[in-house]
Amino acid sequence: MPKSQLRWKRLVAVGAGLLAVTALGASLGFYLAFVRDLPDLQSVEDYRPALASHITDRNGVLIGEFYAERRQLTPYAEVPDHVIRAFVAGEDSSFFEHSGIDFVSILRAAWVNLLAGGEIRQGGSTITQQMVKGLLLTPERNLRRKVREMVLARDIEKRFSKQDILYLYLNQIYFGRGAYGIGEAARTYYGKPVSELTISEGALLAGLPKAPSRYSPFANPEQAEKRRIYVLERMRADGFLNQATYTAAIADVPALREPQDQSNFEVAAYFTEEVRRDLFDALGGETVLKGGLTIETTLDIELQRAAVAEVRKGLEALSKRQGYRGPLRRVTEAQLLETLAQLAEENHLVDGAIDDELAEAAPLVLPHEGRLTGVVTAVDPDANTARIGFAPGLEMDVPVSDVAWAREPDPKQAPRRVRSIEKVFAVGDVAPFDLHHDSEANAVSISLFQEPQVQGALLSIDVHDREVLALVGGYDFAASQFNRVTQARRQPGSSFKPLIYGAALERGYTAASIVHDRPIVYTDEESGFTWRPRNYGRAFYGPITLREALARSVNNATVHLFRDVGVDYVMHYARRLGIQSPLSRDLSLALGSSVVSLLELTSAYAVYPAAGRRVEPIYIRSVKNRNGEVLLRDAHLGGTHTEVSNDGGVAAVSAARETTSDALLELPESEVLEIPEEERVVSAEHAYLVADLLRAVVVDPDGTGWRLRALRRPAAGKTGTTNDQADAWFMGFTPSITTGVWVGHDESRFLGWGETGSRAAAPIWVGYMRAAVADRPLRDFDVPSPIVFARVDRKTGLLADASSEDTVFQSFLSDNVPTETSGNAQTQSEGRRLLRMDDF
């Protein structure tokens, strides 16, 4: 063989070797750079995305959500075919033909982007690639991520069916407005399930994933409409729609609808936040926010709605009685036109800036209801009216009679009517106004609104189920998340008295027993502090029955009774009923000087209609994971829950909250009573006697709970007002429901002249309870067998006879009924008086 040929063969061999080494190196480099650490596809096989946890009320109504990503899993079979076709047409028309990568689309996108000077205007990613990017890779744009995306897309197509890929894609992608997945998108934009989406609605949703913000129908309706039409055009071009269907779909512009349950979320916010905090402690934030839990609670959303409305109504009425604090701000007359234009936008009466052409083309009209901000444009002292403007050309008059409450604030003076409009308004005042629609007259009126500074809270418990029906922690959750049911501790004032009277009944007293209402002076030996309790109105009643003393809420008589029964005995009694907060071991406890929570006091009151059983209210019935397995059940508000283990066993787990832990630490160990849930803490007969005493607060002529008579059914309760009138309470119950209401400022201060529990808190209680008992049968309190009734003289407490002028039908234990008649006692009393006279 010639040397030249041999040399050539050697060169070819060396070249081939170099090429092989180069190819091997390139392959190794490609592997190391792009393939070596690819995500395991097993995670796709075991697809478990972050799911929102849903909270429902006792009837299965959605009242809240917890989530890191707001998503609900939607099975492929539930997605209509026309919705699937919309996504395929809009995002990847050759999806059912390619194997994960569409090279034609990639080249087309590259050409478009090249013509755009390198700007990324079009992508060539298939649905499979988009699913890979969203589920397995990070979102950055570079060559390495793109190559890895393509490799994974091919592997995905080999391992999963097209339906599986669409299922993953439709559940994973982001649609804007916090919605992940097609199921949540349908709910967020249209307030309906996926199965009910129309062709047009599906086309709009299919246009969102490309750029959710840019194509948002809320933020950019014009861009969203263009994108919807583009998707419909692609559906027609790909043969998914015929001309007639396409034309109808183009004309069918989707109507956006907020989810119907959104209002439930706002109404139940204090309650669901309590649920979130407890479940974070019990299960951890990761499980709650991503675990797709189903949380069944005891709340009744309709009663909750009524509770929120009554609390707000009561606080707004009290705010008016406190006087008008003035406008939000004040502008000059020269700024009125500019202010009116700004208010038109602020009040959402126009879209965008207002101009003369818009005002002439489409005259503005006030909505029938709601709250708008207005500015005073004129004050007419002769007509005693003010003109309020809400937008250019949109004004209404307010007469002085509608703002007669708006006096200058003076908490020490009784509310008085304002008679001059100039005392309320000046030109340039900017203030909020409520709109009211009179359906009969078909007219809209307005009234001045003032947001209360005072706060309030309400807790309602079903006595027999021992479940929370409603919980309102404040006036507005958006403004203050502090829960005044569970977190606040305030002096209960006279609403603590029933616990003293209950303890007295256990020690042998009866409702007819006489206690003396006379002045008392108490001096603390250690501090030297002198305390002189006084009755409201500063009158003293002398000898008075327990029934009358509690009905009238007589302070000094209660202090004498408290001292006779014993401080330690009353404290022990309160602990049995569920009061865990520290209690002052002195006579001031008789008038509710020790702070308690509304939760504690309402639970204690619930013992009486519950026939003496301890009531620790349940507010979460069960918590299930995404597989339907029960994790927790029967969680007590501020207390414990039952944890369900994997093997089906159960254990009671403490869920003590920050609202109770500090108090427990402050109590002597001997004072903390661990009482089993089912243990009776008061006998049924003594529970009935207390309930009957509290019923007298309602039915007796001078009872402080007289407002409850409006219910026109058996009810019992007690007002509570602190000495400085900083706190107003009403605690009460029917045979089936116990409800507590507190009203006051977060920073304790005077509520105002005459603002007692009867005036500030009782109307809220009555308004709510009207709704709570409306669908419940009329029934009386169950009478235990040891209870008997006797007619007694209201003044003396003795058995009534012919001489008795004012009598009541009173309950007693069968062995503790008075034996002496009122007339006989009066005869003996007169004889003793004559004997004393003979001594002089």
Side-chain angles (χ1 to χ4, degrees):
M1 181 181 294
K3 290 183 177 180
S4 58
Q5 290 182 351
L6 184 61
R7 186 179 302 112
W8 174 251
K9 287 183 178 180
R10 287 177 178 174
L11 288 172
V12 170
V14 171
L18 289 174
L19 284 174
V21 171
T22 301
L24 181 62
S27 298
L28 179 62
F30 180 85
Y31 171 79
L32 293 174
F34 300 106
V35 183
R36 179 182 58 173
D37 55 349
L38 283 176
D40 186 1
L41 294 187
Q42 186 62 40
S43 62
V44 179
E45 190 84 45
D46 302 328
Y47 181 59
R48 290 176 64 84
L51 298 181
S53 294
H54 294 123
I55 310 102
T56 64
D57 82 338
R58 65 197 298 116
N59 298 310
V61 178
L62 187 65
I63 61 172
E65 296 174 315
F66 306 136
Y67 54 84
E69 296 178 356
R70 204 174 73 240
R71 175 190 287 110
Q72 50 180 291
L73 276 181
T74 304
Y76 180 82
E78 292 183 10
V79 185
D81 184 66
H82 58 261
V83 174
I84 292 173
R85 296 295 181 178
F87 279 90
V88 171
E91 293 292 323
D92 184 4
S93 60
S94 61
F95 172 74
F96 290 105
E97 287 75 44
H98 64 64
S99 299
I101 304 171
D102 186 348
F103 291 103
V104 174
S105 295
I106 293 174
L107 291 174
R108 182 175 62 247
W111 177 251
V112 171
N113 295 336
L114 181 63
L115 292 178
E119 181 184 350
I120 304 298
R121 289 192 174 180
Q122 191 175 108
S125 296
T126 64
I127 282 178
T128 311
Q129 288 176 272
Q130 292 180 52
M131 185 273 288
V132 167
K133 180 171 66 175
L135 191 58
L136 298 173
L137 298 176
T138 52
E140 74 271 4
R141 292 187 173 188
N142 55 46
L143 178 61
R144 180 174 184 270
R145 201 270 299 157
K146 193 67 177 178
V147 172
R148 288 161 64 84
E149 175 188 297
M150 295 170 70
V151 172
L152 286 169
R154 293 296 296 270
D155 291 344
I156 289 284
E157 290 275 353
K158 293 176 184 178
R159 188 163 176 174
F160 298 93
S161 69
K162 291 291 186 179
Q163 288 78 9
D164 290 337
I165 294 169
L166 280 170
Y167 164 77
L168 294 167
Y169 170 75
L170 290 173
N171 279 291
Q172 186 64 26
I173 53 177
Y174 181 59
F175 286 86
R177 291 181 70 84
Y180 288 83
I182 184 68
E184 194 58 46
R187 174 174 167 265
T188 298
Y189 288 93
Y190 303 119
K192 62 169 61 175
V194 177
S195 59
E196 297 178 9
L197 290 175
T198 66
I199 293 173
S200 182
E201 291 168 343
L204 188 147
L205 293 183
L208 290 174
K210 185 177 182 66
S213 297
R214 186 192 312 165
Y215 297 122
S216 167
F218 289 100
N220 299 299
E222 292 182 3
Q223 291 296 322
E225 178 63 6
K226 290 179 181 178
R227 182 68 177 165
R228 180 184 74 91
I229 293 173
Y230 165 78
V231 172
L232 290 172
E233 289 174 346
R234 293 301 309 153
M235 292 178 74
R236 181 186 60 173
D238 291 344
F240 296 153
L241 299 178
N242 59 35
Q243 184 61 40
T245 306
Y246 165 77
T247 302
I250 288 289
D252 181 24
V253 179
L256 301 175
R257 297 181 183 87
E258 294 283 351
Q260 294 181 354
D261 44 37
Q262 195 62 43
S263 64
N264 294 341
F265 293 9
E266 297 172 5
V267 167
Y270 279 107
F271 182 87
T272 54
E273 172 61 10
E274 198 72 17
V275 172
R276 185 197 67 80
R277 293 173 61 200
D278 268 354
L279 293 187
F280 264 51
D281 290 343
L283 302 175
E286 185 83 2
T287 299
V288 175
L289 295 178
K290 298 181 179 180
L293 305 177
T294 299
I295 304 160
E296 181 189 2
T297 72
T298 65
L299 194 78
D300 184 317
I301 190 60
E302 294 307 318
L303 294 188
Q304 176 71 12
R305 200 180 306 281
V308 170
E310 291 300 330
V311 167
R312 289 182 175 175
K313 177 183 174 183
L315 297 183
E316 288 166 11
L318 172 54
S319 180
K320 287 183 177 182
R321 293 196 297 272
Q322 290 175 330
Y324 182 46
R325 299 191 302 272
L328 299 176
R329 62 183 186 276
R330 183 168 287 150
V331 299
T332 64
E333 291 194 45
Q335 296 173 310
L336 284 178
L337 290 178
E338 179 186 355
T339 301
L340 286 169
Q342 292 172 349
L343 290 179
E345 296 182 56
E346 182 180 328
N347 291 324
H348 304 292
L349 298 173
V350 295
D351 294 325
I354 191 169
D355 53 36
D356 293 337
E357 291 184 10
L358 177 62
E360 291 178 7
L364 301 180
V365 179
L366 279 175
H368 282 178
E369 58 184 17
R371 183 168 296 148
L372 301 179
T373 303
V375 60
V376 180
T377 59
V379 175
D380 186 342
D382 294 329
N384 234 353
T385 61
R387 177 150 294 183
I388 313 299
F390 301 97
L394 190 60
E395 298 179 325
M396 289 193 69
D397 287 343
V398 176
V400 71
S401 58
D402 286 354
V403 292
W405 61 268
R407 64 172 176 121
E408 185 177 344
D410 186 352
K412 295 183 179 180
Q413 296 293 324
R416 61 186 182 279
R417 293 178 62 84
V418 175
R419 302 187 182 279
S420 171
I421 197 71
E422 294 176 296
K423 295 286 187 180
V424 181
F425 292 126
V427 173
D429 284 358
V430 178
F433 292 82
D434 281 336
L435 279 65
H436 312 279
H437 181 244
D438 185 340
S439 56
E440 293 184 2
N442 194 25
V444 176
S445 62
I446 60 175
S447 61
L448 177 64
F449 173 77
Q450 175 173 262
E451 183 166 317
Q453 292 180 338
V454 66
Q455 284 290 348
L458 180 150
L459 177 63
S460 184
I461 303 169
D462 185 293
V463 171
H464 300 294
D465 296 335
R466 283 169 284 184
E467 293 182 338
V468 174
L469 295 172
L471 182 154
V472 182
Y475 178 77
D476 181 7
F477 181 81
S480 169
Q481 290 76 53
F482 183 66
N483 191 329
R484 294 156 188 87
V485 171
T486 59
Q487 293 176 293
R489 281 189 170 80
R490 303 299 289 261
Q491 291 183 339
S494 296
S495 60
F496 190 80
K497 288 177 181 176
L499 277 65
I500 297 167
Y501 284 73
L505 292 175
E506 281 195 342
R507 304 210 77 172
Y509 285 79
T510 74
S513 296
I514 295 295
V515 62
H516 292 275
D517 178 46
R518 57 176 180 264
I520 184 174
V521 178
Y522 168 73
T523 302
D524 186 275
E525 296 180 357
E526 295 183 4
S527 64
F529 173 74
T530 299
W531 178 54
R532 294 181 176 86
R534 294 179 297 188
N535 294 326
Y536 189 77
R538 303 191 179 186
F540 293 99
Y541 297 94
I544 189 172
T545 64
L546 263 63
R547 175 187 176 116
E548 195 79 2
L550 185 59
R552 290 174 176 265
S553 196
V554 181
N555 288 340
N556 285 49
T558 302
V559 173
H560 287 293
L561 178 66
F562 178 52
R563 185 178 58 184
D564 292 344
V565 172
V567 175
D568 291 335
Y569 190 87
V570 171
M571 292 177 66
H572 182 77
Y573 182 87
R575 294 278 178 254
R576 282 157 49 198
L577 268 63
I579 302 296
Q580 294 281 4
S581 294
L583 299 176
S584 302
R585 194 176 177 276
D586 57 53
L587 292 183
S588 69
L589 180 61
L591 304 185
S593 63
S594 296
V595 295
V596 298
S597 70
L598 181 60
L599 169 60
E600 289 176 288
L601 200 55
T602 308
S603 300
Y605 268 70
V607 169
Y608 300 124
R613 291 188 178 276
R614 174 81 170 267
V615 176
E616 295 180 88
I618 295 169
Y619 79 120
I620 300 175
R621 287 177 172 174
S622 69
V623 178
K624 298 177 182 177
N625 63 18
R626 66 176 76 194
N627 299 321
E629 299 165 338
V630 178
L631 304 180
L632 296 175
R633 60 178 175 82
D634 295 342
H636 297 273
L637 185 61
T640 60
H641 58 259
T642 301
E643 188 172 280
V644 181
S645 62
N646 293 331
D647 60 4
V650 297
V653 180
S654 173
R657 300 289 298 281
E658 59 191 80
T659 58
T660 57
S661 58
D662 291 344
L664 290 173
L665 289 174
E666 293 178 38
L667 292 175
E669 186 175 348
S670 59
E671 288 192 52
V672 181
L673 303 178
E674 297 295 336
I675 302 175
E677 170 65 15
E678 291 297 325
E679 182 177 331
R680 191 184 298 277
V681 294
V682 176
S683 70
E685 52 269 29
H686 279 109
Y688 180 85
L689 291 175
V690 177
D692 198 38
L693 265 181
L694 290 171
R695 193 170 177 179
V697 176
V698 177
V699 300
D700 281 9
D702 297 312
T704 59
W706 58 271
R707 294 180 192 269
L708 274 66
R709 300 171 201 163
L711 286 182
R712 302 182 67 83
R713 63 171 61 213
K718 183 69 186 75
T719 54
T721 310
T722 53
N723 283 337
D724 54 3
Q725 283 188 227
D727 300 274
W729 302 69
F730 194 86
M731 313 297 301
F733 48 84
T734 64
S736 59
I737 298 175
T738 299
T739 298
V741 173
W742 167 84
V743 173
H745 294 97
D746 285 335
E747 295 181 0
S748 181
R749 68 175 188 267
F750 186 53
L751 279 173
W753 186 91
E755 296 300 340
T756 62
S758 177
R759 189 179 194 186
I764 297 173
W765 192 98
V766 172
Y768 164 75
M769 287 295 285
R770 275 201 184 100
V773 302
D775 296 329
R776 299 196 176 218
L778 182 65
R779 56 179 288 253
D780 206 342
F781 295 96
D782 295 332
V783 182
S785 56
I787 296 295
V788 296
F789 293 85
R791 186 168 295 280
V792 299
D793 185 281
R794 185 188 298 277
K795 184 176 180 180
T796 66
L798 301 177
L799 291 175
D801 58 18
S803 65
S804 301
E805 297 181 358
D806 188 6
T807 64
V808 293
F809 204 51
Q810 183 62 55
S811 59
F812 297 93
L813 291 177
S814 57
D815 60 353
N816 209 5
V817 181
T819 57
E820 189 176 4
T821 64
S822 178
N824 184 46
Q826 290 177 7
T827 301
Q828 293 181 7
S829 177
E830 178 64 13
R832 285 193 295 269
R833 186 184 70 81
L834 292 173
L835 286 174
R836 285 198 302 272
M837 291 179 63
D838 290 341
D839 292 336
F840 291 94

